[in-house]
Amino acid sequence: LILVAGFYASYAQSISVAEKTRIIEKTKQLLTEHFVSTDKAKVVADSLNVAQFGNVNNRNEFGQKLNKLLFHYTSDKHLS
């Protein structure tokens, strides 16, 4: 997801719960405001949460998992 890619200066760095929460909330906000399908944006906003990333400890894994979940919820390859 290009939207989230800007948050990653180094893929090897660890990621905190606070960072994951901030990125997830911003992703949900931007999708709600700008995604073409408002219904799918609502599904993402209602479904995506930091608990889904509890075992993810580095930025690369986080980005990959976020992309997979966005595709899962929207089936939009532009988000993966």
Side-chain angles (χ1 to χ4, degrees):
L1 175 70
I2 294 170
L3 169 76
V4 177
F7 290 104
Y8 303 114
S10 171
Y11 287 113
Q13 292 181 337
S14 63
I15 187 166
S16 69
V17 173
E19 289 176 298
K20 289 187 266 188
T21 301
R22 180 175 51 84
I23 293 167
I24 290 167
E25 292 305 314
K26 187 65 173 183
T27 299
K28 289 168 31 171
Q29 174 195 348
L30 291 171
L31 283 172
T32 301
E33 292 173 0
H34 302 287
F35 195 62
V36 174
S37 171
T38 55
D39 293 339
K40 287 185 181 184
K42 181 168 177 23
V43 168
V44 173
D46 291 345
S47 303
L48 199 60
N49 63 72
V50 74
Q52 294 168 299
F53 300 88
N55 62 340
V56 175
N57 297 315
N58 73 55
R59 293 172 186 265
N60 187 37
E61 288 178 53
F62 177 79
Q64 290 175 359
K65 185 164 185 173
L66 180 58
N67 285 342
K68 286 179 185 177
L69 286 171
L70 290 172
F71 180 74
H72 171 76
Y73 293 131
T74 64
S75 299
D76 187 330
K77 291 184 181 180
H78 295 98
L79 297 177
S80 62

